[in-house]
Amino acid sequence: MLFKLNKALEKVMPLLTPTAVLVGLLCSAWLHSLSFLVSWIFAVMTFAGSIGSNFRDLGKVMKHPLPIIATFLILHIAMPLLGWAAGSLVFPGDDLTQTGFVLLFVIPTGVVSLVWVTIYGGNIALTLALILLDTLLSPFIVPLSLSWIVGAKVHLDVLAMMNGLLWMVVVPSIVGMILNHLTKGKIKTTWGPRLAPFTKIGLFIVVAINSSVVAPHLKEMNAKLVEIIVVAFVCATVGYLAGWLVSRWMKWDRDVTVALTFNSGMRNLSAGAVLAINFFPPPVVLPVIAGMLFQQLLAALYGHNLDKKYRLKNQPSQAA
């Protein structure tokens, strides 16, 4: 039953987060009061996503670090700078919105990318290594990147932010890896399929609650909000495209290309929204919520195009 539920949820993944945002807006009156649950739900989601990781696979991937280095350059240098440039260009003088766009692109790669990489035959070991390394480094990368790019324009409680990321993503990831190691991978085969649907349901709940918190700022669809959504969409598209272009340029195999495309484009936006809500004024949250609207839709679009491209490439020639 759980297997069938997970398969059904996988099919509706592109619509999952936009629907959650809509539910959050419509039910903000009572969902708002559940915001204290978000960090706990997210920690469970991170744990469930990490039980497939082990130290051996991480070691194998680290022997060929170029794909990891390329992804990190896209994730934490190219895209945050693009977010800052786009925010500064379209919203000059609006420090909070600019910070929101930087935050949108300094958040680590999303655990959900593993679902898409699996569906389209990507390199799972590389994806797990990327998620794990990016997650473990996030308490340092996120606050330092924000401090470096937005500087003194916005007050940052770096230590509190690091502490939040530590308990929300790092500790659950390490616990998951240790349990994978101690059980020799049995926890993945036993509990992985059982927890998979709850991870997606948890994602829906987290997005809905976070959306309810910022509902007052999203209910009035004005010109600025439309601009934020458009800019976030264009920049997010560049992330996926950058991963694909770098992989093609380096002539990496299909499995690596698929992994880089999804991991360069997807972000742990649920964590980003939690950080934004806890540590910043509401306007900073808007670009992150905007990113949630179409992240899964973009993943589905790029996955379809990748699948079509490689299927045509591998198709036997019909020439006589």
Side-chain angles (χ1 to χ4, degrees):
M1 182 179 175
L2 289 176
F3 178 79
K4 289 181 179 179
L5 175 61
N6 187 56
K7 283 295 179 184
L9 289 171
E10 282 184 357
K11 290 180 180 178
V12 298
M13 279 294 289
L15 301 175
L16 197 67
T17 47
T19 305
V21 171
L22 183 61
V23 170
L25 295 178
L26 295 175
C27 305
S28 59
W30 64 275
L31 279 177
H32 184 279
S33 62
L34 301 176
S35 58
F36 69 95
L37 292 173
V38 167
S39 296
W40 293 99
I41 295 171
F42 197 84
V44 174
M45 289 167 57
T46 306
F47 168 76
S50 67
I51 59 174
S53 307
N54 61 64
F55 299 103
R56 190 183 300 108
D57 287 343
L58 180 61
K60 287 179 181 177
V61 171
M62 292 304 295
K63 290 180 181 178
H64 304 282
L66 271 181
I68 291 178
I69 293 171
T71 310
F72 267 68
L73 288 174
I74 294 169
L75 284 172
H76 297 299
I77 294 182
M79 292 309 298
L81 288 175
L82 175 63
W84 169 78
S88 300
L89 182 66
V90 182
F91 306 99
D94 189 343
D95 295 338
L96 293 178
T97 300
Q98 292 172 21
T99 302
F101 276 104
V102 175
L103 180 61
L104 174 60
F105 293 112
V106 298
I107 293 300
T109 188
V111 176
V112 185
S113 63
L114 179 61
V115 176
W116 292 103
V117 170
T118 302
I119 290 171
Y120 288 102
N123 190 313
I124 294 175
L126 173 59
T127 299
L128 287 170
L130 282 167
I131 292 170
L132 179 66
L133 288 172
D134 213 11
T135 298
L136 293 177
L137 293 172
S138 61
F140 307 99
I141 291 176
V142 174
L144 293 177
S145 296
L146 284 167
S147 297
W148 171 53
I149 297 174
V150 301
K153 289 184 178 181
V154 176
H155 173 69
L156 296 173
D157 191 341
V158 175
L159 290 178
M161 197 180 301
M162 290 176 71
N163 187 59
L165 283 165
L166 180 71
W167 291 106
M168 200 164 57
V169 291
V170 176
V171 172
S173 293
I174 293 175
V175 171
M177 282 191 70
I178 291 173
L179 288 175
N180 181 294
H181 177 73
L182 293 176
T183 62
K184 298 180 180 179
K186 290 181 181 179
I187 190 172
K188 177 186 175 182
T189 55
T190 304
W191 284 99
R194 297 176 182 176
L195 292 175
F198 295 106
T199 301
K200 297 173 183 65
I201 293 169
L203 176 66
F204 183 93
I205 295 171
V206 167
V207 172
I209 293 174
N210 285 337
S211 300
S212 73
V213 174
V214 295
H217 302 274
L218 284 173
K219 281 182 176 177
E220 294 184 10
M221 183 61 73
N222 53 34
K224 182 181 178 181
L225 184 55
V226 172
E227 286 180 333
I228 289 173
I229 292 172
V230 171
V231 173
F233 177 81
V234 173
C235 291
T237 303
V238 173
Y240 289 93
L241 185 61
W244 181 77
L245 287 175
V246 168
S247 296
R248 299 301 295 156
W249 178 52
M250 296 296 292
K251 297 180 179 179
W252 284 325
D253 293 337
R254 171 198 165 127
D255 62 332
V256 175
T257 301
V258 171
L260 254 71
T261 300
F262 286 116
N263 284 287
S264 297
M266 301 203 78
R267 300 283 174 159
N268 208 335
L269 295 184
S270 299
V274 175
L275 286 178
I277 289 168
N278 288 335
F279 299 106
F280 296 98
V284 176
V285 190
L286 295 181
V288 181
I289 295 295
M292 286 181 176
L293 290 172
F294 43 74
Q295 177 167 259
Q296 305 300 329
L297 289 170
L298 281 173
L301 177 63
Y302 271 88
H304 174 75
N305 288 337
L306 282 168
D307 191 49
K308 182 179 178 181
K309 180 178 179 63
Y310 282 107
R311 193 166 61 244
L312 288 173
K313 183 179 178 181
N314 295 329
Q315 193 171 15
S317 173
Q318 300 299 317

